[in-house]
Amino acid sequence: MTDMPPKLAEIVEEFASAPREVVLEMLLEFSDAVPPLPAGMAAHEGMEQVPECQTPFFLKADVRPDGTVTTHFDCPPEAPTTRAFAGILAEGLAGADAAGILAVPDDLYATMGLAQAISPLRVRGGTAILARLKRQVREQTE
């Protein structure tokens, strides 16, 4: 069994060890880390919507021939917490391979200690984002 990608493990550790009052600040920083969509995806072409999120959230995972995965996320700036989930995944999974992504624990956000800092509804949305991302990767690798 592969462990989750090292970059993501580092982010998880930072959050898990951060004092609660700093966690929201850290989330806001990650909400700025979401790379813009490529021009061809601006209209969410080929992307999947995550209905569990309170705000419109779209994602797409592309498994390349070498096994690495490219992720694309889109979420409005008015939803900084949800955007932060995308930023954490975008940064933490950059350059990761399919096995690494599939090894990310489903309770990632609880592991990060976010359940104490944000609402259960938001944690559920973040969990749904991860589940859909992993499903897309799984579908392309089986």
Side-chain angles (χ1 to χ4, degrees):
M1 177 86 178
T2 314
D3 289 330
M4 77 170 115
K7 211 168 181 182
L8 184 61
E10 203 176 290
I11 294 169
V12 169
E13 182 51 42
E14 281 175 30
F15 271 93
S17 61
R20 188 174 166 194
E21 59 275 9
V22 179
V23 167
L24 291 175
E25 249 169 71
M26 291 168 65
L27 279 172
L28 286 177
E29 285 174 25
F30 275 101
S31 73
D32 295 334
V34 182
L37 287 177
M41 290 184 161
H44 302 125
E45 198 66 38
M47 297 183 83
E48 178 178 1
Q49 184 162 8
V50 181
E52 292 87 344
C53 289
Q54 292 172 289
T55 50
F57 190 101
F58 297 86
L59 64 88
K60 180 171 178 45
D62 284 315
V63 180
R64 294 192 179 130
D66 68 358
T68 59
V69 179
T70 306
T71 57
H72 300 284
F73 303 100
D74 193 40
C75 177
E78 309 80 68
T81 306
T82 308
R83 264 185 87 78
F85 291 142
I88 289 165
L89 292 175
E91 193 170 308
L93 300 177
D97 63 9
I101 289 176
L102 295 175
V104 174
D106 295 332
D107 64 350
L108 177 71
Y109 300 110
T111 308
M112 292 172 72
L114 293 183
Q116 289 76 45
I118 58 175
S119 75
L121 203 58
R122 288 216 162 61
V123 171
R124 197 162 48 245
T127 302
I129 292 166
L130 179 60
R132 286 169 187 275
L133 187 68
K134 288 170 73 170
R135 194 203 71 239
Q136 285 188 15
V137 169
R138 211 174 290 114
E139 286 173 354
Q140 294 174 62
T141 53
E142 287 177 347

